[in-house]
Short mmCIF file of all heavy atoms in Angstrom, two decimals:
data_model
loop_
_atom_site.label_atom_id
_atom_site.label_comp_id
_atom_site.label_asym_id
_atom_site.label_seq_id
_atom_site.Cartn_x
_atom_site.Cartn_y
_atom_site.Cartn_z
N CYS A 948 9.91 -6.50 -5.63
CA CYS A 948 9.24 -7.53 -6.42
C CYS A 948 7.84 -7.10 -6.78
O CYS A 948 7.05 -7.89 -7.26
CB CYS A 948 9.19 -8.83 -5.64
SG CYS A 948 7.82 -8.90 -4.52
N CYS A 950 5.74 -5.99 -4.57
CA CYS A 950 4.93 -6.02 -3.36
C CYS A 950 5.15 -4.73 -2.58
O CYS A 950 4.54 -4.52 -1.55
CB CYS A 950 5.29 -7.20 -2.49
SG CYS A 950 5.11 -8.74 -3.35
N ILE A 1283 6.16 -19.42 -7.45
CA ILE A 1283 5.02 -18.55 -7.14
C ILE A 1283 4.40 -17.94 -8.39
O ILE A 1283 3.34 -17.33 -8.34
CB ILE A 1283 5.46 -17.47 -6.13
CG1 ILE A 1283 6.08 -18.12 -4.90
CG2 ILE A 1283 4.30 -16.59 -5.69
CD1 ILE A 1283 5.20 -19.14 -4.20
N PRO A 1453 -1.79 -11.19 -2.19
CA PRO A 1453 -0.80 -10.62 -1.27
C PRO A 1453 -1.35 -9.44 -0.46
O PRO A 1453 -0.81 -9.12 0.58
CB PRO A 1453 0.35 -10.18 -2.19
CG PRO A 1453 -0.26 -10.05 -3.53
CD PRO A 1453 -1.37 -11.06 -3.59
N HIS A 1493 -1.61 -17.28 -2.82
CA HIS A 1493 -0.27 -16.87 -2.37
C HIS A 1493 -0.39 -15.55 -1.63
O HIS A 1493 -1.11 -14.65 -2.05
CB HIS A 1493 0.68 -16.72 -3.56
CG HIS A 1493 1.94 -15.99 -3.22
ND1 HIS A 1493 2.92 -16.55 -2.43
CD2 HIS A 1493 2.36 -14.74 -3.50
CE1 HIS A 1493 3.89 -15.66 -2.28
NE2 HIS A 1493 3.58 -14.56 -2.91
N MET A 1494 0.33 -15.46 -0.52
CA MET A 1494 0.36 -14.21 0.25
C MET A 1494 1.78 -13.90 0.68
O MET A 1494 2.56 -14.82 0.90
CB MET A 1494 -0.50 -14.34 1.49
CG MET A 1494 -1.97 -14.43 1.16
SD MET A 1494 -2.97 -14.65 2.61
CE MET A 1494 -4.44 -15.26 1.78
N CYS A 1495 2.06 -12.62 0.79
CA CYS A 1495 3.40 -12.25 1.25
C CYS A 1495 3.33 -10.91 1.94
O CYS A 1495 2.32 -10.22 1.91
CB CYS A 1495 4.38 -12.21 0.09
SG CYS A 1495 3.80 -11.31 -1.35
N TYR A 1496 4.43 -10.54 2.56
CA TYR A 1496 4.60 -9.22 3.15
C TYR A 1496 3.62 -8.81 4.19
O TYR A 1496 3.06 -7.73 4.13
CB TYR A 1496 4.58 -8.14 2.06
CG TYR A 1496 5.73 -8.30 1.18
CD1 TYR A 1496 5.59 -8.70 -0.12
CD2 TYR A 1496 7.00 -8.15 1.71
CE1 TYR A 1496 6.67 -8.92 -0.90
CE2 TYR A 1496 8.09 -8.37 0.94
CZ TYR A 1496 7.91 -8.75 -0.36
OH TYR A 1496 8.99 -8.97 -1.13
N GLU A 1517 4.97 -16.32 2.32
CA GLU A 1517 6.32 -15.88 2.61
C GLU A 1517 6.64 -16.13 4.08
O GLU A 1517 5.93 -15.67 4.96
CB GLU A 1517 6.44 -14.38 2.31
CG GLU A 1517 7.78 -13.81 2.65
CD GLU A 1517 7.69 -12.40 3.19
OE1 GLU A 1517 6.64 -11.78 3.03
OE2 GLU A 1517 8.66 -11.97 3.80
N ASP A 1577 9.67 -17.86 -1.66
CA ASP A 1577 8.67 -17.13 -0.89
C ASP A 1577 7.88 -16.11 -1.70
O ASP A 1577 6.91 -15.54 -1.21
CB ASP A 1577 9.28 -16.50 0.37
CG ASP A 1577 10.19 -15.34 0.08
OD1 ASP A 1577 10.50 -15.10 -1.10
OD2 ASP A 1577 10.61 -14.68 1.04
N CYS A 1578 8.28 -15.87 -2.96
CA CYS A 1578 7.50 -14.95 -3.79
C CYS A 1578 7.89 -15.17 -5.25
O CYS A 1578 8.70 -16.06 -5.54
CB CYS A 1578 7.75 -13.50 -3.35
SG CYS A 1578 6.50 -12.32 -3.94
N GLY A 1579 7.33 -14.36 -6.13
CA GLY A 1579 7.64 -14.48 -7.55
C GLY A 1579 9.09 -14.11 -7.85
O GLY A 1579 9.72 -13.38 -7.09
ZN1 ZN B 256 4.55 -12.67 -3.03
#
Side-chain angles (χ1 to χ4, degrees):
C948 84
C950 303
I1283 305 304
H1493 166 71
M1494 291 178 199
C1495 48
Y1496 295 112
E1517 177 216 344
D1577 71 351
C1578 198

